[in-house]
Amino acid sequence: MLDVKKISDEADMIVCGFAYKKNEQGIKIFDLNNCEGVAVISDDGTLIETNMDDIELSIAKKHLAINAKYMEA
């Protein structure tokens, strides 16, 4: 189970229950509502690994595409 408080504190961006954190592989996405859903997406948008279902991942990627400009700070 994820440590939601720690992930939230360290996130570069939080949108609609998903925490986004940059790392050396790209961007790691945590579903704060599910507490088990995690995905890693490369900088070019390629999915590296995930345990999210297709709908959950689709929603997370949509939020990332719309709000990625806010992670550039």
Side-chain angles (χ1 to χ4, degrees):
M1 180 174 257
L2 301 174
D3 182 353
V4 176
K5 176 159 177 22
K6 182 178 182 204
I7 291 169
S8 299
D9 289 343
E10 295 176 357
D12 294 312
M13 176 177 72
I14 298 175
V15 179
C16 295
F18 292 97
Y20 300 85
K21 175 78 176 150
K22 290 183 182 179
N23 66 16
E24 63 279 348
Q25 294 178 317
I27 298 173
K28 197 165 191 178
I29 305 171
F30 301 92
D31 184 346
L32 300 175
N33 296 312
N34 180 343
C35 294
E36 293 180 1
V38 179
V40 179
I41 298 177
S42 68
D43 291 329
D44 67 359
T46 304
L47 179 65
I48 297 173
E49 64 180 309
T50 188
N51 65 351
M52 292 182 181
D53 63 47
D54 291 340
I55 295 170
E56 183 181 23
L57 181 60
S58 173
I59 293 167
K61 287 176 75 175
K62 179 180 123 188
H63 288 304
L64 177 61
I66 293 169
N67 297 289
K69 61 187 170 202
Y70 300 113
M71 291 182 66
E72 300 299 323

